[in-house]
Amino acid sequence: TAAFYREVAHRFAASGELSLSWVALDDQMIAFDLSLNVGNRIWLLKTGFDERFSKLSPAMVLRLKVIERCFESGIDGHELLGGPDPWKLTFSDSEVEHVSLHGYRRTPSAAARYAYQRSVRPALKQVASRLG
């Protein structure tokens, strides 16, 4: 997972579309966002905060600062992505559905990846949930 996000960060930094945001307290980062600035929108990919400071709600402070930056910069929106987590509904009264499309070449290896994604992986998840 870390390698994936590093690769995304490198590629979008090269095109000037990487957006990093954070909140610091006494020169210590206590909340951080990895986002993309694409199509005049900020797309949140990964966020986190130092739980030692949870009483200060650093992630919520960061979210408000990013939204404020969107208004100040004329950015059309801040896409939080993922499921409808309760904290996300603090910032909106509606949801936008995003759809993923996967394309596969007509090769044996691509067919195997498709079969895995479509059939094998869901079956493995079901088994894992029953065991867990």
Side-chain angles (χ1 to χ4, degrees):
T1 302
F4 168 77
Y5 284 110
R6 258 190 238 102
E7 180 67 19
V8 168
H10 286 295
R11 288 182 185 224
F12 282 88
S15 66
E17 296 172 308
L18 181 66
S19 178
L20 304 176
S21 305
W22 61 89
V23 170
L25 178 65
D26 296 331
D27 295 325
Q28 180 180 359
M29 186 183 306
I30 62 172
F32 176 80
D33 277 357
L34 170 67
S35 304
L36 304 178
N37 188 345
V38 177
N40 206 38
R41 301 181 92 69
I42 301 288
W43 302 82
L44 177 63
L45 299 181
K46 207 69 170 157
T47 189
F49 68 94
D50 187 330
E51 293 184 9
R52 294 177 297 165
F53 299 95
S54 60
K55 288 183 180 178
L56 300 174
S57 302
M60 296 300 258
V61 171
L62 176 57
R63 193 69 36 240
L64 290 170
K65 293 302 287 178
V66 171
I67 291 169
E68 185 178 80
R69 188 175 76 212
C70 288
F71 277 103
E72 290 171 351
S73 305
I75 293 173
D76 292 334
H78 182 32
E79 299 291 341
L80 301 177
L81 302 176
D85 299 318
W87 70 267
K88 293 176 186 175
L89 300 176
T90 302
F91 301 100
S92 179
D93 58 1
S94 63
E95 297 176 38
V96 176
E97 183 178 350
H98 295 276
V99 177
S100 297
L101 299 175
H102 299 271
Y104 298 90
R105 294 184 178 154
R106 292 183 181 217
T107 64
S109 63
R113 274 194 310 280
Y114 174 77
Y116 173 78
Q117 291 289 333
R118 183 75 177 182
S119 301
V120 176
R121 188 170 185 214
L124 290 174
K125 281 186 172 186
Q126 272 189 334
V127 170
S129 70
R130 288 183 191 155
L131 296 174

